[in-house]
Amino acid sequence: MNQLPLRHELTRLFREAFASRGADPAAGDVVLAQKPELGDFQCNGALAAAKALKLNPRQLAQDVVVALGENPLWTTLEIAGPGFINIRVGNAALADGLGATGADPRLGVAKVAAPRKFVLDFGGPNVAKPMHVGHLRSSIIGDSLQRLLRFLGHHVVSDIHLGDWGTQMGMLIGEVRAEHPSLPYFEEVPRAAYPTEPPVTIEDLQRLYPQASGRCKTDPAALAAAQKATAELQQGRPGYRALWRHFVELSLKELRDDFGALGVKFDHWFGESNYHEDLAPMVAKLRASGVAIEDAGAIIIPVAQADDKTEIAPLLLVKSDGGYLYATTDLATIQQRVRDFQAQVILYVVDKRQSLHFDQVFRAARKSSIAADVSLEHLAFGTMNGADGRPFKTRAGGVMRLKDLIQLMTEEADRTMLESGVSDGYQAEERARIARVLSLIHISEPTRLRR
């Protein structure tokens, strides 16, 4: 047989048969059978083709079957209903089809005729916080999508959208200051240059972040100080900017290792800070156009629509105190992706708890013409839960770090191999490599963590 995948070869033959009867060749497209008990494949084009030709569909289907004649590709061609042709393929043809597909570097999957420009937003970790099991789904789903879309021939840009520019940065600055008040980053008079080596380690950051968060939840003065530090950081205070860069660099090194262990790659590692300078001009433009309006001292974009079945609150763009929000940054991010990447489709792989937020942002982007002709989609998924139905946690009460999970699964894989004897004869180094691979395969199936 022709070395095309089996369905493609069947489609070629059926198209020729329909064309020989004066019908549109597209009527010969072959698809997998909807009811396997009736056949392996089916062709459903006779009904539409017969209508166009003013013919009886069953008679047209019968004429097509006659035109096809006998062929080793099939054992039977049966007409059902108003002209559906059910195709039962022989074992030899199936074996040949599998062989042809296996010999094809693309496994029978053709590239799309009209590639589109996709931007994928996934991962989304925060500076100073270690990756944990909750990051698995976004990372694995997002990376799988970018691989599939690229394989199909689309143009894809992936962006991690790092959380590096919010109140958590002010919290960290305040916590470092509390422990090391004499560091040069806190001097009132700016220096011409600051140390190139960070004053803290990644372990320090991972200790300081929950410490600072807990303090700000119970101490209003600490929260106010963190908010003040955040404002000064975003306004460009040199010492704070230098310290913040240390936070980001330390975190990026750790994150690259974690994502590397999963085999996940990004084209860009942009953080929320990347869009800070775009916020004020964007807001000014939105106000000038009338899309954004003032309300009780804040700036909002009304996004409710006449056909809404539930009330949709306006998008809060600027708080009454002049502060920006995640929504402001997300809108500026869409603006940049359309402008710089010429994105036609932007996909957000983020859990379902953010559904309302994205609905508001997408509506605002379309209303403002920031993304008037761009498809914006939130690919929502559920949270990673333990046996209690709540987000997966360790016995100690914290969310399990990704590194700890990989180590735990690697040790379990190694123990299982030793107990079963399948690793007998392997050197320790090779056994460790196999255990590592097995652990990554296992954690790439998140539902297993429910056990």
Side-chain angles (χ1 to χ4, degrees):
M1 66 177 270
N2 187 300
Q3 290 303 299
L4 284 172
L6 183 55
R7 185 175 63 83
H8 292 182
E9 177 64 1
L10 288 169
T11 291
R12 184 185 70 80
L13 293 171
F14 271 71
R15 284 189 169 196
E16 289 177 357
F18 271 94
S20 74
R21 293 300 183 263
D24 182 352
D29 286 354
V30 172
V31 297
L32 288 174
Q34 295 178 352
K35 295 182 178 180
E37 66 272 17
L38 299 179
D40 302 306
F41 297 95
Q42 62 188 58
C43 178
N44 305 325
L47 187 61
K51 183 177 181 181
L53 295 171
K54 295 182 170 52
L55 297 174
N56 181 290
R58 279 189 68 90
Q59 184 58 53
L60 178 58
Q62 182 60 46
D63 291 344
V64 167
V65 169
V66 171
L68 285 164
E70 295 185 359
N71 192 301
L73 284 183
W74 54 76
T75 56
T76 59
L77 298 177
E78 294 182 351
I79 301 171
F84 302 126
I85 304 174
N86 294 319
I87 308 161
R88 181 72 67 185
V89 177
N91 290 337
L94 285 173
D96 287 345
L98 286 171
T101 301
D104 181 358
R106 296 188 56 79
L107 299 177
V109 180
K111 287 191 175 183
V112 294
R116 304 177 76 189
K117 294 180 179 178
F118 283 81
V119 173
L120 261 70
D121 183 318
F122 68 98
N126 292 311
V127 161
K129 294 178 70 176
M131 282 186 67
H132 54 77
V133 295
H135 291 105
L136 275 175
R137 282 187 171 168
S138 176
S139 302
I140 293 168
I141 295 170
D143 189 54
S144 297
L145 281 172
Q146 73 168 328
R147 293 177 188 228
L148 287 169
L149 290 169
R150 286 196 173 107
F151 186 73
L152 289 172
H154 293 291
H155 306 292
V156 179
V157 174
S158 55
D159 179 16
I160 195 170
H161 201 66
L162 187 69
D164 69 342
W165 200 244
T167 306
Q168 73 269 28
M169 295 297 100
M171 291 179 181
L172 275 174
I173 290 170
E175 205 67 18
V176 172
R177 184 169 196 164
E179 292 195 358
H180 308 283
S182 61
L183 287 172
Y185 309 97
F186 308 117
E187 295 170 353
E188 292 301 321
V189 179
R191 293 193 177 192
Y194 289 90
T196 57
E197 291 298 315
V200 291
T201 64
I202 188 64
E203 289 76 20
D204 290 329
L205 292 182
Q206 293 172 0
R207 171 181 59 83
L208 291 169
Y209 185 92
Q211 188 173 298
S213 178
R215 190 192 309 277
C216 288
K217 287 177 180 177
T218 59
D219 185 351
L223 178 59
Q227 292 170 335
K228 181 174 183 293
T230 302
E232 292 178 341
L233 166 69
Q234 295 180 352
Q235 291 162 7
R237 178 168 172 170
Y240 286 4
R241 285 286 178 97
L243 185 57
W244 166 78
R245 279 191 286 272
H246 288 313
F247 296 163
V248 174
E249 289 165 4
L250 286 169
S251 297
L252 279 177
K253 183 181 183 305
E254 181 84 352
L255 289 170
R256 289 182 194 277
D257 289 343
D258 284 343
F259 280 111
L262 294 173
V264 175
K265 296 180 180 179
F266 297 90
D267 295 310
H268 297 288
W269 291 70
F270 292 149
E272 293 169 341
S273 60
N274 188 67
Y275 311 100
H276 182 68
E277 300 303 322
D278 294 333
L279 300 184
M282 181 189 72
V283 171
K285 185 176 179 180
L286 292 171
R287 294 194 69 183
S289 68
V291 171
I293 60 175
E294 185 172 342
D295 181 26
I299 307 299
I300 65 169
I301 299 179
V303 294
Q305 298 172 355
D307 58 350
D308 287 336
K309 292 182 173 57
T310 59
E311 183 177 354
I312 303 295
L315 179 79
L316 181 57
L317 202 61
V318 184
K319 295 189 294 184
S320 57
D321 63 3
Y324 298 120
L325 298 101
Y326 287 121
T328 328
T329 301
D330 283 344
L331 206 54
T333 304
I334 293 174
Q335 176 180 263
Q336 179 267 341
R337 288 167 174 170
V338 175
R339 180 189 66 218
D340 295 350
F341 301 143
Q342 293 77 53
Q344 294 173 291
V345 183
I346 306 178
L347 304 178
Y348 292 80
V349 187
V350 183
D351 80 60
K352 63 182 180 182
R353 292 174 294 180
Q354 299 298 317
S355 294
L356 175 59
H357 167 78
F358 282 118
D359 189 18
Q360 293 173 307
V361 171
F362 294 169
R363 290 182 182 211
R366 296 187 184 103
K367 183 176 182 178
S368 64
S369 296
I370 285 175
D373 300 318
V374 177
S375 176
L376 304 169
E377 298 182 45
H378 174 209
L379 307 183
F381 54 87
T383 54
M384 188 81 79
N385 297 335
D388 60 357
R390 298 179 179 181
F392 193 73
K393 293 185 178 182
T394 62
R395 292 179 182 176
V399 178
M400 180 176 280
R401 298 196 319 167
L402 182 61
K403 281 188 173 180
D404 295 337
L405 176 62
I406 292 175
Q407 180 63 32
L408 177 68
M409 300 301 287
T410 300
E411 292 173 356
E412 179 67 15
D414 186 55
R415 183 187 65 78
T416 302
M417 287 194 300
L418 283 172
E419 290 180 353
S420 65
V422 297
S423 61
D424 292 351
Y426 286 101
Q427 296 295 323
E429 184 177 343
E430 177 66 7
R431 195 180 76 234
R433 186 191 70 79
I434 295 172
R436 174 79 169 187
V437 171
L438 289 173
S439 73
L440 292 176
I441 292 172
H442 195 85
I443 66 172
S444 294
E445 301 179 42
T447 52
R448 295 192 180 189
L449 293 174
R450 293 182 181 275
R451 292 188 301 182

